[in-house]
Protein backbone atom coordinates (compact mmCIF):
# COMPACT_ATOMS: atom_id res chain seq x y z
CA UNK A 1 0.00 0.00 0.00
CA UNK A 2 2.85 2.37 0.82
CA UNK A 3 4.47 1.56 -2.52
CA UNK A 4 1.24 2.37 -4.35
CA UNK A 5 0.97 5.65 -2.47
CA UNK A 6 4.45 6.59 -3.61
CA UNK A 7 3.75 5.71 -7.26
CA UNK A 8 0.47 7.62 -7.36
CA UNK A 9 1.90 10.62 -5.51
CA UNK A 10 4.70 10.89 -8.08
CA UNK A 11 2.26 10.62 -10.99
CA UNK A 12 -1.21 11.74 -9.80
CA UNK A 13 -2.88 11.34 -13.19
CA UNK A 14 -6.36 10.49 -11.97
CA UNK A 15 -9.56 12.42 -11.37
CA UNK A 16 -10.43 12.05 -7.72
CA UNK A 17 -9.08 11.56 -4.22
CA UNK A 18 -7.43 8.41 -2.86
CA UNK A 19 -7.12 7.76 0.88
CA UNK A 20 -4.64 5.11 2.02
CA UNK A 21 -5.88 3.30 5.12
CA UNK A 22 -3.22 1.47 7.10
CA UNK A 23 -5.57 -0.60 9.24
CA UNK A 24 -4.04 -1.89 12.49
CA UNK A 25 -4.99 -4.85 14.66
CA UNK A 26 -7.18 -6.57 12.08
CA UNK A 27 -7.68 -9.85 13.93
CA UNK A 28 -9.37 -9.67 17.27
CA UNK A 29 -8.12 -6.29 18.50
CA UNK A 30 -10.69 -4.06 16.83
CA UNK A 31 -8.52 -1.88 14.62
CA UNK A 32 -11.20 -1.17 12.01
CA UNK A 33 -13.84 -0.45 14.66
CA UNK A 34 -11.50 2.00 16.40
CA UNK A 35 -10.87 3.85 13.14
CA UNK A 36 -14.58 3.98 12.34
CA UNK A 37 -15.40 5.23 15.84
CA UNK A 38 -12.77 7.94 15.37
CA UNK A 39 -14.73 9.18 12.36
CA UNK A 40 -12.59 7.68 9.59
CA UNK A 41 -15.10 8.18 6.78
CA UNK A 42 -16.34 11.51 8.12
CA UNK A 43 -12.79 12.85 8.13
CA UNK A 44 -11.81 11.09 4.89
CA UNK A 45 -14.96 10.61 2.76
CA UNK A 46 -14.91 7.55 0.49
CA UNK A 47 -17.29 6.29 -2.17
CA UNK A 48 -15.76 2.81 -1.96
CA UNK A 49 -13.17 1.01 0.13
CA UNK A 50 -10.89 -1.90 -0.81
CA UNK A 51 -8.68 -4.25 1.17
CA UNK A 52 -6.05 -6.92 0.51
CA UNK A 53 -4.43 -9.82 2.36
CA UNK A 54 -1.63 -12.13 1.22
CA UNK A 55 -2.50 -15.82 0.97
CA UNK A 56 0.14 -18.57 1.24
CA UNK A 57 -0.60 -21.51 -1.06
CA UNK A 58 -2.35 -19.42 -3.70
CA UNK A 59 -0.03 -19.23 -6.77
CA UNK A 60 2.48 -16.42 -6.60
CA UNK A 61 1.00 -13.14 -7.84
CA UNK A 62 -2.47 -14.59 -8.47
CA UNK A 63 -5.59 -12.96 -7.08
CA UNK A 64 -8.71 -14.52 -5.55
CA UNK A 65 -12.03 -13.00 -4.53
CA UNK A 66 -15.76 -13.47 -4.86
CA UNK A 67 -18.97 -11.47 -4.65
CA UNK A 68 -20.88 -11.89 -1.42
CA UNK A 69 -19.48 -13.60 1.70
CA UNK A 70 -15.72 -14.20 1.42
CA UNK A 71 -14.70 -14.55 5.07
CA UNK A 72 -16.59 -15.69 8.13
CA UNK A 73 -17.66 -13.81 11.19
CA UNK A 74 -15.07 -14.65 13.84
CA UNK A 75 -16.06 -15.07 17.47
CA UNK A 76 -14.75 -16.27 20.80
CA UNK A 77 -16.42 -18.05 23.70
CA UNK A 78 -15.52 -19.00 27.27
CA UNK A 79 -17.41 -21.47 29.45
CA UNK A 80 -16.56 -21.42 33.18
CA UNK A 81 -17.70 -24.49 35.13
CA UNK A 82 -18.01 -24.17 38.90
CA UNK A 83 -18.66 -26.73 41.62
CA UNK A 84 -17.65 -27.77 45.11
CA UNK A 85 -14.27 -29.26 44.26
CA UNK A 86 -12.87 -31.93 46.54
CA UNK A 87 -10.48 -34.78 47.17
CA UNK A 88 -10.22 -36.96 44.07
CA UNK A 89 -8.86 -39.93 45.96
CA UNK A 90 -10.58 -39.90 49.31
CA UNK A 91 -14.04 -38.49 48.57
CA UNK A 92 -14.74 -37.91 44.86
CA UNK A 93 -18.38 -38.83 45.47
CA UNK A 94 -18.75 -35.64 47.52
CA UNK A 95 -17.46 -33.33 44.78
CA UNK A 96 -18.88 -31.98 41.51
CA UNK A 97 -16.69 -33.52 38.80
CA UNK A 98 -15.95 -30.56 36.55
CA UNK A 99 -13.49 -32.59 34.47
CA UNK A 100 -16.34 -34.90 33.49
CA UNK A 101 -18.62 -31.91 32.83
CA UNK A 102 -16.08 -30.37 30.44
CA UNK A 103 -15.54 -33.73 28.72
CA UNK A 104 -19.29 -34.04 28.09
CA UNK A 105 -19.36 -30.42 26.93
CA UNK A 106 -16.43 -30.72 24.51
CA UNK A 107 -17.86 -33.87 22.95
CA UNK A 108 -21.32 -32.32 22.67
CA UNK A 109 -19.88 -29.28 20.87
CA UNK A 110 -19.06 -31.51 17.91
CA UNK A 111 -22.76 -32.05 17.35
CA UNK A 112 -23.40 -28.37 16.64
CA UNK A 113 -21.89 -28.50 13.16
CA UNK A 114 -22.92 -32.07 12.36
CA UNK A 115 -26.51 -31.92 13.62
CA UNK A 116 -27.68 -28.36 14.33
CA UNK A 117 -26.27 -26.58 11.29
CA UNK A 118 -28.00 -27.14 7.91
CA UNK A 119 -25.82 -29.20 5.58
CA UNK A 120 -25.35 -26.38 3.06
CA UNK A 121 -24.23 -23.86 5.69
CA UNK A 122 -20.65 -23.50 6.91
CA UNK A 123 -19.89 -23.17 10.62
CA UNK A 124 -16.82 -23.89 12.75
CA UNK A 125 -16.65 -24.46 16.51
CA UNK A 126 -13.24 -25.29 18.00
CA UNK A 127 -11.80 -25.62 21.50
CA UNK A 128 -8.54 -23.77 22.02
CA UNK A 129 -8.15 -23.65 25.80
CA UNK A 130 -8.86 -25.88 28.81
CA UNK A 131 -7.64 -24.97 32.28
CA UNK A 132 -8.46 -26.34 35.71
CA UNK A 133 -6.76 -27.64 38.79
CA UNK A 134 -3.01 -27.66 39.47
CA UNK A 135 -0.23 -30.00 38.42
CA UNK A 136 1.17 -29.69 41.94
CA UNK A 137 -2.04 -31.17 43.39
CA UNK A 138 -3.20 -33.87 41.02
CA UNK A 139 -5.39 -35.48 43.67
CA UNK A 140 -7.54 -32.36 44.00
CA UNK A 141 -10.71 -32.05 41.91
CA UNK A 142 -10.98 -28.37 40.89
CA UNK A 143 -13.78 -26.09 42.00
CA UNK A 144 -13.47 -24.11 38.77
CA UNK A 145 -12.60 -25.20 35.24
CA UNK A 146 -12.49 -23.04 32.13
CA UNK A 147 -12.99 -24.09 28.50
CA UNK A 148 -12.63 -21.58 25.66
CA UNK A 149 -12.51 -21.52 21.91
CA UNK A 150 -13.52 -19.93 18.64
CA UNK A 151 -16.66 -19.91 16.50
CA UNK A 152 -17.10 -18.99 12.84
CA UNK A 153 -20.21 -18.40 10.70
CA UNK A 154 -21.15 -16.61 7.49
CA UNK A 155 -24.53 -15.09 8.38
CA UNK A 156 -26.43 -13.73 11.40
CA UNK A 157 -28.76 -16.74 11.64
CA UNK A 158 -25.86 -19.15 12.03
CA UNK A 159 -24.10 -16.80 14.44
CA UNK A 160 -27.18 -16.78 16.67
CA UNK A 161 -27.57 -20.57 16.44
CA UNK A 162 -23.95 -21.20 17.48
CA UNK A 163 -24.21 -18.81 20.41
CA UNK A 164 -27.43 -20.44 21.65
CA UNK A 165 -26.16 -24.02 21.37
CA UNK A 166 -22.80 -23.37 23.06
CA UNK A 167 -24.61 -21.80 25.99
CA UNK A 168 -27.21 -24.60 26.20
CA UNK A 169 -24.66 -27.40 25.99
CA UNK A 170 -22.43 -25.88 28.68
CA UNK A 171 -25.36 -25.55 31.06
CA UNK A 172 -26.58 -29.09 30.34
CA UNK A 173 -23.08 -30.57 30.79
CA UNK A 174 -22.70 -28.76 34.10
CA UNK A 175 -26.10 -30.00 35.28
CA UNK A 176 -25.05 -33.64 34.79
CA UNK A 177 -22.57 -33.12 37.64
CA UNK A 178 -24.66 -30.82 39.81
CA UNK A 179 -22.41 -27.92 38.82
CA UNK A 180 -23.03 -24.58 37.14
CA UNK A 181 -21.74 -23.02 33.94
CA UNK A 182 -21.28 -19.38 33.04
CA UNK A 183 -20.80 -18.65 29.33
CA UNK A 184 -19.56 -15.48 27.66
CA UNK A 185 -19.49 -15.09 23.87
CA UNK A 186 -18.42 -12.26 21.60
CA UNK A 187 -17.69 -11.61 17.94
CA UNK A 188 -14.39 -10.00 16.96
CA UNK A 189 -15.45 -9.65 13.34
CA UNK A 190 -18.69 -9.88 11.42
CA UNK A 191 -18.87 -11.83 8.12
CA UNK A 192 -16.88 -10.10 5.40
CA UNK A 193 -19.20 -9.52 2.43
CA UNK A 194 -17.94 -8.14 -0.89
CA UNK A 195 -20.24 -5.80 -2.80
CA UNK A 196 -21.02 -6.71 -6.40
CA UNK A 197 -19.87 -3.64 -8.35
CA UNK A 198 -16.72 -3.22 -6.29
CA UNK A 199 -15.86 -6.92 -6.57
CA UNK A 200 -16.09 -6.56 -10.36
CA UNK A 201 -13.86 -3.48 -10.20
CA UNK A 202 -11.26 -5.30 -8.09
CA UNK A 203 -11.31 -8.27 -10.46
CA UNK A 204 -10.78 -6.03 -13.47
CA UNK A 205 -7.85 -4.30 -11.75
CA UNK A 206 -6.36 -7.69 -10.87
CA UNK A 207 -6.68 -8.94 -14.45
CA UNK A 208 -4.71 -5.93 -15.64
CA UNK A 209 -1.87 -7.17 -13.43
CA UNK A 210 -2.13 -10.96 -13.52
CA UNK A 211 -4.11 -11.69 -16.67
CA UNK A 212 -7.36 -13.63 -16.99
CA UNK A 213 -5.80 -16.89 -15.80
CA UNK A 214 -4.34 -15.21 -12.73
CA UNK A 215 -7.65 -14.10 -11.22
CA UNK A 216 -10.17 -16.39 -9.53
CA UNK A 217 -13.50 -14.61 -9.10
CA UNK A 218 -15.22 -17.66 -7.57
CA UNK A 219 -12.85 -18.20 -4.67
CA UNK A 220 -14.04 -20.59 -2.00
CA UNK A 221 -15.01 -18.62 1.14
CA UNK A 222 -12.62 -19.04 4.04
CA UNK A 223 -13.52 -19.29 7.71
CA UNK A 224 -10.80 -16.90 8.77
CA UNK A 225 -12.03 -13.60 10.20
CA UNK A 226 -11.04 -10.08 9.18
CA UNK A 227 -11.77 -6.77 10.87
CA UNK A 228 -12.06 -5.08 7.46
CA UNK A 229 -15.59 -6.53 7.40
CA UNK A 230 -16.73 -3.57 9.51
CA UNK A 231 -15.48 -1.15 6.85
CA UNK A 232 -17.40 -3.08 4.19
CA UNK A 233 -20.50 -2.72 6.33
CA UNK A 234 -19.97 1.04 6.46
CA UNK A 235 -19.08 1.52 2.78
CA UNK A 236 -19.40 -0.47 -0.44
CA UNK A 237 -16.18 -2.21 -1.37
CA UNK A 238 -14.29 -5.46 -1.85
CA UNK A 239 -11.51 -7.52 -0.31
CA UNK A 240 -9.03 -9.59 -2.31
CA UNK A 241 -6.39 -12.22 -1.63
CA UNK A 242 -2.95 -11.97 -3.25
CA UNK A 243 -1.16 -15.29 -3.72
CA UNK A 244 2.12 -15.67 -1.83
CA UNK A 245 3.00 -18.98 -3.49
CA UNK A 246 4.73 -21.89 -1.76
CA UNK A 247 8.14 -22.60 -0.32
CA UNK A 248 11.00 -23.78 -2.57
CA UNK A 249 10.16 -27.38 -1.64
CA UNK A 250 6.46 -26.90 -2.30
CA UNK A 251 5.44 -26.63 1.35
CA UNK A 252 2.86 -24.10 2.51
CA UNK A 253 3.27 -22.41 5.88
CA UNK A 254 -0.08 -20.93 6.85
CA UNK A 255 -0.60 -17.36 8.03
CA UNK A 256 -0.50 -18.16 11.75
CA UNK A 257 2.19 -20.80 11.57
CA UNK A 258 5.44 -20.05 13.43
CA UNK A 259 7.19 -20.92 10.15
CA UNK A 260 5.21 -18.34 8.11
CA UNK A 261 7.35 -15.95 6.08
CA UNK A 262 6.00 -13.04 4.07
CA UNK A 263 7.08 -13.47 0.46
CA UNK A 264 8.67 -10.19 -0.65
CA UNK A 265 8.30 -11.30 -4.28
CA UNK A 266 4.59 -10.35 -4.21
CA UNK A 267 5.22 -6.69 -3.34
CA UNK A 268 5.36 -5.54 -7.01
CA UNK A 269 2.04 -7.28 -7.78
CA UNK A 270 0.44 -5.74 -4.73
CA UNK A 271 1.61 -2.25 -5.69
CA UNK A 272 0.51 -2.80 -9.29
CA UNK A 273 -2.97 -3.89 -8.21
CA UNK A 274 -3.61 -0.72 -6.22
CA UNK A 275 -2.28 1.52 -8.97
CA UNK A 276 -4.38 -0.37 -11.53
CA UNK A 277 -7.50 0.01 -9.37
CA UNK A 278 -7.05 3.75 -8.93
CA UNK A 279 -6.33 4.37 -12.61
CA UNK A 280 -9.38 2.30 -13.53
CA UNK A 281 -11.82 3.79 -11.04
CA UNK A 282 -10.60 7.39 -11.10
CA UNK A 283 -9.41 7.69 -14.67
CA UNK A 284 -9.65 11.10 -16.22
CA UNK A 285 -12.98 11.56 -18.04
CA UNK A 286 -12.93 11.55 -21.87
CA UNK A 287 -11.77 14.85 -23.34
CA UNK A 288 -10.29 16.03 -20.05
Amino acid sequence: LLGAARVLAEDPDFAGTVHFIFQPAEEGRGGAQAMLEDGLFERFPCDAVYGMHNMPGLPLGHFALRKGPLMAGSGRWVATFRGSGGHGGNSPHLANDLALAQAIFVQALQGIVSRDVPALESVVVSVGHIAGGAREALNVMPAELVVGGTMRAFNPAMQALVERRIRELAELAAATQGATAEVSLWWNAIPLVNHGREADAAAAAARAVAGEAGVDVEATPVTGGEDFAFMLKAKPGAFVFLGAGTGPDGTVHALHSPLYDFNDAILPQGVAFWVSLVRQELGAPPGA
Side-chain angles (χ1 to χ4, degrees):
L1 189 62
L2 186 61
R6 178 174 179 175
V7 170
L8 291 168
E10 292 176 350
D11 183 19
D13 186 20
F14 52 89
T17 300
V18 182
H19 298 299
F20 297 88
I21 304 171
F22 293 86
Q23 175 192 335
E26 86 281 9
E27 292 184 13
R29 297 296 180 181
Q33 296 100 306
M35 298 186 84
L36 291 169
E37 289 167 4
D38 283 345
L40 173 66
F41 292 130
E42 289 75 30
R43 297 165 60 192
F44 306 100
C46 292
D47 295 310
V49 62
Y50 295 87
M52 177 192 290
H53 203 299
N54 76 92
M55 182 59 72
L58 187 66
L60 184 70
H62 283 215
F63 294 85
L65 70 155
R66 68 178 294 115
K67 295 179 181 179
L70 178 64
M71 301 183 74
S74 172
R76 304 286 188 272
W77 56 266
V78 175
T80 302
F81 295 91
R82 295 188 177 93
S84 62
H87 197 302
N90 181 60
S91 54
H93 60 289
L94 299 179
N96 305 120
D97 192 345
L98 302 187
L100 183 53
Q102 72 81 25
I104 294 170
F105 173 59
V106 170
Q107 285 195 313
L109 286 176
Q110 310 312 310
I112 295 177
V113 173
S114 65
R115 288 296 176 264
D116 296 326
V117 174
L120 297 182
E121 294 281 0
S122 183
V123 167
V124 175
V125 179
S126 296
V127 175
H129 175 75
I130 299 177
R135 292 185 63 181
E136 296 79 16
L138 297 179
N139 62 328
V140 176
M141 299 171 68
E144 182 174 292
L145 191 150
V146 177
V147 184
T150 189
M151 52 189 175
R152 309 295 168 101
F154 284 95
N155 60 64
M158 291 300 100
Q159 288 178 279
L161 182 148
V162 170
E163 288 188 34
R164 175 175 59 81
R165 290 300 287 149
I166 290 175
R167 195 180 303 278
E168 290 174 346
L169 292 174
E171 293 171 352
L172 288 170
T176 67
Q177 304 305 309
T180 63
E182 179 182 339
V183 180
S184 59
L185 310 97
W186 65 97
W187 295 91
N188 297 316
I190 58 177
L192 185 149
V193 181
N194 279 342
H195 298 247
R197 194 206 75 81
E198 287 71 25
D200 287 338
R207 291 189 191 98
V209 176
E212 189 73 32
V215 181
D216 179 8
V217 296
E218 294 293 339
T220 301
V222 300
T223 52
E226 167 58 61
D227 204 43
F228 187 76
F230 289 101
M231 294 197 183
L232 288 180
K233 186 177 181 180
K235 294 288 180 179
F239 194 76
V240 302
F241 295 128
L242 172 57
T246 62
D249 60 354
T251 58
V252 177
H253 298 303
L255 292 168
H256 288 256
S257 162
L259 300 177
Y260 166 77
D261 179 43
F262 184 87
N263 189 348
D264 291 349
I266 66 175
L267 288 172
Q269 286 92 342
V271 171
F273 169 81
W274 292 122
V275 173
S276 172
L277 181 64
V278 171
R279 302 281 190 217
Q280 168 188 292
E281 292 298 283
L282 299 179

